[in-house]
Amino acid sequence: MNKRIIGLFIALCAVVCLHAQGTRSLKISEVVTCNTDGLIDEYGRRGAWIEITNTSWGTVNIHSCYLTINRAALNPALSVPERISLMSMVPKGDARTVLKAQERIVFYADGQTNLGTLHTNFALDASQENFIALYDGNGVSIIDTITVPVIGENQSFARLFAENKDEADTWLILDKEDVTPGSPNRGQAEKVNKVAEWKAKDPYGIAMSIVAMGIVFGCLLFLYIFFRSFGKFMEYSGKLARVKAIRKIHESAVKVAVIAKDGKESRGIDMETYMAVIGMALHEYETDVHDVESNILTIMPEEHTEWNSKDNAMREWPK
Amino acid sequence: MDYINFILDKFVDFWTYTGFANGELGNYIMILVGALFIFLAITKDWEPLLLIPIGLGIILGNIPFKAIGLEIGLYEDHSVLNFFYQGVKSGWYPPLIFLGIGAMTDFTALIANPKLLLVGASAQFGIYAAYMVALLLGFEPNQAAGIAIIGGADGPTAIFLSSKLAPNLMGAIAVCAYSYMALVPLIQRPIMRALTTDKERRIRMKPAREVTQREKILFPIIGLLITAFVVPSGLPLLGVLFFGNLLRESTKTTRLANTAGSALNDIVVMLLGLTVGCSTQASEFLTTDTIKIFALGASAFVIATASGVLFVKFFNLFLPEGRKINPLIGNAGVSAVPMAARISHEQGLKYDPKNYLIMHAMGPNVAGVIGSAVAAGVLLGFLS
């Protein structure tokens, strides 16, 4: 039972973490506070809007996340329900809230949630700075915040995403003709069409051949160097093991020599042991010490014992 | 009378659904091509495991029918064939085949003599030479890359890359890659003979050293780390290739390795062959582009083989006597495992009945598998 509960807990944590990981890639990317000649909503009306971008290469569902312009929501002393009451939730059940890789969604910040999923319960004020925060579904974790300065009519406050992770994004005020709701912001370096670039710069494919062949060769060269070195090391350690084994044989041989010199009887060693030691040394020498021997010998006396008695090896006659 | 007219109308209506009413010359030509593939596979024993599914797939994909939303065609949503085709389209059949290849491949020859890795790398030049020629013939760089990978002599890699870079040419590229793999003996033998001297063909290579189990276990792990760090875009292929090999060499997952190398691999090969065959519908396949692709594929194979052989000859200039490599194993740098290695062996025996090259040739052969996967990753990274 406990295991099941732990399993369910881990699974739940994994799901929550995955969701959190996904929503973390959401960024507020463009805001218009005074829209009189731009984007129109489903009812043909113009109003302020907030664009959010999924910056990841996976699909992210923005449902259950919260948008707010109320700084009071930042107060850590507030309980979660109190905070949530200051926010506008992105409702569930709308396919438009599922953002594919690099996709954008626009929310109408007009304070009229009765007009649809994409309308927030707050309205932006064009005459002053607007603080905007995007919260995760738990109402506690902040995903992104910005403060939009006072901008002109139909202008947008747009984010230019940095090319490198280490660099910070930059914000620009774009004029009416450069405002791009639901599309990459003008001024953002457009993704270079790699194919077109290769075609223009390398029409005969020579550069591609040199670079790509170099990479393939380099990659396998790395492998070669590693396994060559590792092989040498293994050979060396193999030799070392052989030397140790030979040393052992040498020690055995010395013992044998001592036995032979001092006489086996005087040392209390019987003939069988004497022969076995010599046999073992010869065996190890001739087989080039390929195997590690246990060096445990069982010496069978000439007379019949239970070791070699056939009678003892047979089953009893059934009664 | 009305009743008879009704029945006749239904017969006429039925006729419009049949293949006879909808067939075009292209369909019949393709059906003959499919039949030829099956014939070659059965009578000549040319890659039967691939050519029979592809051959029947070609026939299946070219049965004409009236497209009225019956959800039966390969390109119709929700059809069974379309479901099977997703593995090709989304590119997850090739990694599964690589899993099987990894589980079946013994890298011992390569670990024992790692300089053979460089022979495998050199043979990848066929890919880039074909890329240059494809550009000259007017293909876009992404299409040229999809076609050029045929030179790697690796069907799954060719399908994987073309499904990403040139999906409209994938059918022709896949059929071309597998056809030429079946023709490896015919293509490679004359090139090997032309580029080597009698003395070179008789070079006896030093027997490979013994490889410990520890080295065999380390190879897939280190191999994956090095190749994937350099070319992360090749991860789908390289990751599963080395994973399959680790299953084999770890000695603790023999059951999994056996499944990956037998049942799973067989299932994927069947589905892959069938759906790739099906995708060669006459309207898409019988074009001048296909002829160009076949010509480029052949040249890529020829250049890859020649590069491998010539590289060994060049390499030998720097190797001391007694450590020289027999250039007959250079052809095995293309990754047609194990046919290319078998050809090296057979050619070696022809000139010296006691010169057994098979184990030596397996080195560049499996290096070719890694090399072509890396090459595919590089092209994918540059052009996708």
Side-chain angles (χ1 to χ4, degrees):
Chain A
M1 186 62 186
N2 277 344
K3 278 183 185 170
R4 195 173 295 173
I5 290 169
I6 292 168
L8 279 172
F9 178 72
I10 291 170
L12 193 68
C13 286
V15 169
V16 169
C17 289
L18 280 176
H19 179 70
Q21 268 189 339
T23 54
R24 224 173 284 148
S25 59
L26 296 170
K27 300 279 178 201
I28 299 167
S29 49
E30 194 169 10
V31 179
V32 167
T33 54
C34 180
N35 170 20
T36 57
D37 191 22
L39 180 71
I40 52 171
D41 66 11
E42 304 98 312
Y43 298 94
R45 295 156 19 134
R46 291 191 170 89
W49 51 264
I50 302 165
E51 180 196 74
I52 293 172
T53 301
N54 169 16
T55 59
S56 75
W57 292 99
T59 301
V60 176
N61 199 336
I62 194 175
H63 76 68
S64 303
C65 289
Y66 297 93
L67 275 166
T68 184
I69 55 166
N70 198 333
R71 284 183 189 272
L74 296 171
N75 184 0
L78 292 180
S79 66
V80 174
E82 282 171 333
R83 282 186 195 204
I84 287 175
S85 66
L86 303 172
M87 302 174 188
S88 176
M89 191 179 85
V90 181
K92 290 179 182 174
D94 190 331
R96 288 174 297 178
T97 62
V98 179
L99 302 182
K100 290 181 184 161
Q102 308 288 309
E103 204 178 2
R104 291 160 167 77
I105 187 169
V106 173
F107 289 96
Y108 303 99
D110 53 8
Q112 303 204 35
T113 49
N114 58 319
L115 295 182
T117 309
L118 303 181
H119 293 260
T120 62
N121 67 2
F122 56 81
L124 297 179
D125 186 350
S127 62
Q128 60 177 36
E129 274 189 356
N130 285 276
F131 166 78
I132 304 170
L134 175 64
Y135 273 80
D136 198 3
N138 57 14
V140 178
S141 312
I142 297 174
I143 300 171
D144 194 20
T145 61
I146 59 157
T147 302
V148 184
V150 179
I151 50 177
E153 200 174 308
N154 296 313
Q155 282 186 325
S156 79
F157 189 54
R159 180 182 216 140
L160 299 186
F161 291 103
E163 292 293 318
N164 300 318
K165 280 182 183 173
D166 305 335
E167 295 169 10
D169 298 338
T170 49
W171 288 89
L172 290 176
I173 294 172
L174 299 178
D175 289 331
K176 180 187 152 190
E177 55 273 15
D178 292 331
V179 174
T180 54
S183 305
N185 295 337
R186 203 67 59 79
Q188 177 82 50
E190 282 179 22
K191 192 187 167 191
V192 181
N193 183 334
K194 290 180 180 177
V195 174
E197 191 186 16
W198 276 103
K199 192 178 179 184
K201 301 251 172 83
D202 184 31
Y204 302 109
I206 296 167
M208 167 70 89
S209 303
I210 294 170
V211 174
M213 195 65 198
I215 294 171
V216 173
F217 227 93
C219 204
L220 295 189
L221 191 67
F222 270 137
L223 266 180
Y224 161 69
I225 292 168
F226 180 85
F227 279 96
R228 171 111 177 126
S229 319
F230 192 69
K232 289 276 175 202
F233 169 74
M234 292 305 285
E235 265 184 289
Y236 175 73
S237 44
K239 272 182 193 165
L240 213 65
R242 255 197 295 277
V243 167
K244 276 184 185 170
I246 289 167
R247 205 169 284 159
K248 213 171 171 184
I249 294 170
H250 179 70
E251 282 165 11
S252 306
V254 169
K255 279 181 192 169
V256 170
V258 169
I259 292 165
K261 193 177 173 189
D262 297 353
K264 56 186 189 298
E265 280 82 12
S266 64
R267 290 267 167 164
I269 299 168
D270 58 22
M271 187 63 180
E272 284 79 9
T273 310
Y274 179 71
M275 296 304 290
V277 170
I278 292 174
M280 181 73 129
L282 283 172
H283 166 71
E284 285 190 339
Y285 176 74
E286 287 188 350
T287 52
D288 201 20
V289 203
H290 282 143
D291 303 313
V292 176
E293 301 284 347
S294 65
N295 293 326
I296 296 170
L297 297 173
T298 304
I299 299 165
M300 191 184 74
E302 277 180 18
E303 65 267 21
H304 283 276
T305 69
E306 287 188 358
W307 282 100
N308 62 357
S309 165
K310 284 184 182 170
D311 291 345
N312 285 321
M314 291 175 77
R315 287 197 309 170
E316 280 184 33
W317 192 257
K319 291 174 184 173
Chain B
M1 194 62 189
D2 272 358
Y3 192 67
I4 293 167
N5 279 342
F6 173 75
I7 293 171
L8 285 174
D9 279 350
K10 289 299 154 195
F11 264 119
V12 172
D13 196 24
F14 177 75
W15 171 254
T16 63
Y17 289 102
T18 63
F20 300 109
N22 294 289
E24 291 172 6
L25 181 64
N27 296 117
Y28 298 115
I29 293 172
M30 288 307 293
I31 288 170
L32 285 176
V33 171
L36 177 71
F37 272 45
I38 297 171
F39 171 78
L40 292 174
I42 295 171
T43 57
K44 303 279 181 189
D45 203 26
W46 285 355
E47 288 287 314
L49 295 179
L50 292 167
L51 288 195
I52 289 179
I54 291 177
L56 196 85
I58 292 173
I59 295 174
L60 197 59
N62 285 283
I63 303 285
F65 61 88
K66 193 175 180 180
I68 50 164
L70 293 175
E71 297 179 356
I72 49 172
L74 184 81
Y75 296 112
E76 285 183 281
D77 286 345
H78 313 302
S79 74
V80 174
L81 286 175
N82 186 266
F83 176 70
F84 291 157
Y85 188 54
Q86 292 309 310
V88 176
K89 204 174 162 190
S90 312
W92 47 266
Y93 282 155
L96 283 175
I97 292 189
F98 259 60
L99 178 70
I101 294 172
M104 287 187 281
T105 305
D106 183 2
F107 284 102
T108 306
L110 197 59
I111 303 168
N113 194 359
K115 60 176 171 277
L116 298 178
L117 272 161
L118 303 179
V119 182
S122 67
Q124 306 312 314
F125 183 67
I127 295 174
Y128 301 105
Y131 175 79
M132 289 190 274
V133 180
L135 285 179
L136 284 176
L137 288 178
F139 285 101
E140 292 293 312
N142 55 326
Q143 294 175 325
I147 297 165
I149 200 72
I150 297 170
D154 199 329
T157 309
I159 291 170
F160 177 78
L161 192 68
S162 55
S163 70
K164 306 278 179 200
L165 294 181
N168 58 324
L169 300 178
M170 189 185 62
I173 290 170
V175 171
C176 179
Y178 281 117
S179 310
Y180 284 132
M181 276 168 72
L183 296 174
V184 157
L186 292 183
I187 298 171
Q188 290 198 322
R189 277 189 204 121
I191 300 165
M192 291 159 72
R193 281 197 293 263
L195 296 177
T196 51
T197 62
D198 192 60
K199 189 185 166 194
E200 285 169 335
R201 288 176 214 138
R202 292 171 195 275
I203 292 177
R204 287 200 183 178
M205 292 176 66
K206 199 181 155 197
R209 71 173 173 87
E210 206 178 328
V211 173
T212 63
Q213 194 60 33
R214 192 181 298 170
E215 286 174 278
K216 288 184 191 176
I217 294 171
L218 271 176
F219 184 80
I221 298 168
I222 302 296
L224 175 64
L225 285 173
I226 291 177
T227 54
F229 264 83
V230 177
V231 193
S233 43
L235 259 184
L237 298 174
L238 294 164
V240 290
L241 174 76
F242 289 120
F243 170 55
N245 193 248
L246 185 62
L247 289 180
R248 173 197 168 96
E249 301 298 353
S250 69
T251 68
K252 304 291 179 193
T253 49
T254 313
R255 259 175 58 193
L256 301 184
N258 288 343
T259 306
S262 56
L264 179 64
N265 193 61
D266 292 349
I267 291 167
V268 180
V269 165
M270 276 191 288
L271 294 177
L272 178 82
L274 193 74
T275 46
V276 161
C278 271
S279 68
T280 59
Q281 295 184 349
S283 55
E284 294 284 320
F285 196 79
L286 294 177
T287 61
T288 48
D289 275 356
T290 305
I291 297 166
K292 286 181 191 171
I293 289 169
F294 269 76
L296 282 166
S299 61
F301 256 71
V302 170
I303 296 166
T305 306
S307 316
V309 175
L310 291 174
F311 179 79
V312 174
K313 287 172 64 116
F314 174 72
F315 205 19
N316 275 343
L317 297 176
F318 305 98
L319 294 174
E321 205 60 47
R323 286 188 177 270
K324 290 200 187 293
I325 303 172
N326 190 319
L328 286 179
I329 69 167
N331 73 303
V334 302
S335 62
V337 181
M339 289 92 72
R342 271 196 226 132
I343 293 160
S344 307
H345 180 66
E346 169 222 283
Q347 290 295 302
L349 286 179
K350 198 172 167 189
Y351 294 96
D352 179 356
K354 287 188 179 170
N355 197 1
Y356 303 103
L357 290 175
I358 187 76
M359 278 314 288
H360 300 294
M362 280 308 289
N365 212 188
V366 292
V369 177
I370 301 171
S372 62
V374 172
V378 174
L379 291 170
L380 190 64
F382 279 145
L383 296 166
S384 68

